[in-house]
Amino acid sequence: MNIFVLNCGSSSLKYRMISMPSGEEILGGEVQRIGGRTAESARIVHRGPRGESIRRISVNSYKEAFTEVMKALASESGPSPDIFAHRLVQGGM
């Protein structure tokens, strides 16, 4: 079973696909600088079976970032996710 985990930060969207029960990471990466709050453009850093790639992209929302993540996932010829999960952090009491 392959679990695809997302983690939204203040200006990033990180992702990993993990094979269970071994816990081995199949692929992962992150979309950085979502929303254009910095002088540098957004980019996606993707690590898969073929190595690491870095692409400059234009993303102004987490929806657009998620679309880029799905494109990166679709470009891999390996296994697909069986389950999607999202990491949540409670910031209060």
Side-chain angles (χ1 to χ4, degrees):
M1 175 186 315
N2 298 319
I3 301 174
F4 194 79
V5 182
L6 296 167
N7 179 14
C8 290
S10 60
S11 63
S12 68
L13 175 61
K14 297 175 181 158
Y15 61 95
R16 305 278 182 272
M17 186 155 62
I18 301 165
S19 176
M20 294 304 286
S22 71
E24 175 188 357
E25 182 178 303
I26 298 170
L27 58 83
E30 70 180 294
V31 179
Q32 302 170 338
R33 302 181 195 106
I34 297 169
R37 293 181 214 126
T38 65
E40 289 189 61
S41 62
R43 66 183 190 169
I44 183 168
V45 179
H46 178 77
R47 293 177 306 283
R50 293 182 246 160
E52 182 175 272
S53 65
I54 300 172
R55 275 189 311 117
R56 299 257 178 234
I57 55 177
S58 176
V59 292
N60 294 308
S61 68
Y62 286 88
K63 180 180 178 180
E64 291 174 0
F66 182 74
T67 298
E68 291 297 327
V69 169
M70 291 295 98
K71 287 180 189 176
L73 181 61
S75 73
E76 295 291 347
S77 59
S80 59
D82 298 303
I83 296 173
F84 282 80
H86 189 281
R87 179 178 179 260
L88 297 174
V89 177
Q90 172 62 23
M93 295 182 59

